[in-house]
């Protein structure tokens, strides 16, 4: 199976003031599609939980030729792209109604024991990978975000938490968008990088630091002990 695909149509609530699809919505769709892909191969989340092996997203890179927009259908596709060290690589692309690729994603995942959070090596995965060699423009590379201007503290609330009991990955992209300066807010995203370094839970607080150039904006969230919770950076078209 080269690709696993589903059709989507951004509704009003999925979009920002420019009618662009919010990146956190795209990431949510991608994560759900990844699960549906595994389920189509009879690898269910419930079975993996019983086997004490679950995937956690650690890093995502997005590239937009065009940002999907309100009420315009897209076909989102995913495939397994192999492994990189201890991480599993999964890729995605989105095509418009004419079949043109408008954006793509590359993501890295780790396989962990949900009870102990210990890390498994790819060789310990209880299922087979179905690796497909389809390149994406988006590429996860070694990248550290430098942001030193402190802007605010943020305490995670109930609505930030997902069924895994920790802050949903999309929240960090929402914080990136929420902090965009007026000089950047009306521009379209070109590339986005986000890394989830330490999970957060309801009631925990991070200090948010930002940095910007003429064509980019970055946010880093740090816990009070100095450990980095997440890093995110956007480059604009």
């Amino acid at each position: 199976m080269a690709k696993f695909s589903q059709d989507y149509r951004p509704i009003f609530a999925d979009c920002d003031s420019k009618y662009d699809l919010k990146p956190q919505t795209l990431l949510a769709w991608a994560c759900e599609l990844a699960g549906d892909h595994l389920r189509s191969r009879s690898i269910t989340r419930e079975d993996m939980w019983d086997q004490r092996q679950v995937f956690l997203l650690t890093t995502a890179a997005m590239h937009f030729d065009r940002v999907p927009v309100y009420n315009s259908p897209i076909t989102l596709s995913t495939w397994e792209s192999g492994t990189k060290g201890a991480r599993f690589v999964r890729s995605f692309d989105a095509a418009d109604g004419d079949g043109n690729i408008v954006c793509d994603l590359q993501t890295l995942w780790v396989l962990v024991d949900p009870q102990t959070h210990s890390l498994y090596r790819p060789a310990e995965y209880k299922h087979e990978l179905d690796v497909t060699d389809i390149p994406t423009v988006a590429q996860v590379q070694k990248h550290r975000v430098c942001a030193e201007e402190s802007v605010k503290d943020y305490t995670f609330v109930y609505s930030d938490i997902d069924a895994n009991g920790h802050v949903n990955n999309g929240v960090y992209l929402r914080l990136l968008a929420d902090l965009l300066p007026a000089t950047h807010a009306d521009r379209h995203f070109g590339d986005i990088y986000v890394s989830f370094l330490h999970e957060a839970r309801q009631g925990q607080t991070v200090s948010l630091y930002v940095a910007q150039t003429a064509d980019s904006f970055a946010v880093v969230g740090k816990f009070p002990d100095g450990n980095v919770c997440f890093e995110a950076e956007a480059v604009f078209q």
Side-chain angles (χ1 to χ4, degrees):
M1 182 185 297
K3 287 184 175 183
F4 179 81
S5 304
Q6 288 186 13
D7 295 332
Y8 295 82
R9 183 185 294 269
I11 65 172
F12 194 76
D14 296 329
C15 301
D16 62 17
S17 62
K18 302 184 295 296
Y19 289 81
D20 283 354
L21 180 66
K22 296 173 182 176
Q24 63 263 35
T25 303
L26 179 60
L27 184 64
W29 288 353
C31 291
E32 193 66 22
L33 187 65
D36 289 343
H37 183 203
L38 293 179
R39 193 173 298 110
S40 74
R41 296 165 53 207
S42 300
I43 306 171
T44 69
R45 184 179 187 276
E46 293 75 19
D47 287 342
M48 289 191 66
W49 191 276
D50 290 341
Q51 295 163 354
R52 294 182 60 171
Q53 290 193 339
V54 298
F55 283 113
L56 295 180
L57 179 64
T58 64
T59 314
M62 302 179 178
H63 173 78
F64 298 92
D65 286 333
R66 288 186 287 115
V67 181
V69 296
Y70 167 67
N71 205 34
S72 293
I74 61 171
T75 299
L76 187 63
S77 302
T78 187
W79 59 97
E80 294 174 327
S81 299
T83 60
K84 183 180 292 187
R87 296 176 292 181
F88 294 74
V89 186
R90 177 174 282 275
S91 304
F92 305 81
D93 63 29
D96 63 16
D98 295 322
N100 301 308
I101 302 299
V102 298
C103 63
D104 60 27
L105 300 83
Q106 187 179 78
T107 58
L108 300 183
W109 307 68
V110 290
L111 187 69
V112 302
D113 184 321
Q115 297 182 23
T116 66
H117 284 202
S118 59
L119 189 70
Y120 293 104
R121 301 291 297 181
E124 298 174 286
Y125 183 39
K126 296 183 183 295
H127 305 276
E128 291 187 10
L129 291 175
D130 181 18
V131 177
T132 301
D133 186 18
I134 302 175
T136 56
V137 178
Q139 292 287 309
V140 174
Q141 300 175 347
K142 288 186 177 180
H143 179 79
R144 293 309 300 266
V145 174
C146 181
E148 299 180 351
E149 179 187 350
S150 177
V151 290
K152 64 182 290 187
D153 289 346
Y154 181 80
T155 300
F156 296 108
V157 296
Y158 176 81
S159 61
D160 295 328
I161 309 303
D162 62 21
N164 286 325
H166 54 67
V167 174
N168 183 266
N169 293 321
V171 171
Y172 304 115
L173 289 177
R174 192 199 75 214
L175 290 173
L176 172 72
D178 287 347
L179 292 171
L180 285 176
T183 52
H184 294 64
D186 290 334
R187 300 179 64 182
H188 302 287
F189 290 116
D191 293 278
I192 293 176
Y193 161 85
V194 58
S195 183
F196 316 104
L197 299 172
H198 291 92
E199 69 179 20
R201 297 183 180 274
Q202 183 179 352
Q204 288 188 292
T205 298
V206 290
S207 297
L208 300 175
Y209 298 82
V210 301
Q212 62 180 302
T213 69
D215 294 313
S216 69
F217 182 73
V219 179
V220 174
K222 295 182 181 180
F223 292 114
D225 63 4
N227 282 326
V228 175
C229 173
F230 75 96
E231 300 176 336
E233 184 169 23
V235 179
F236 298 89
Q237 295 181 16

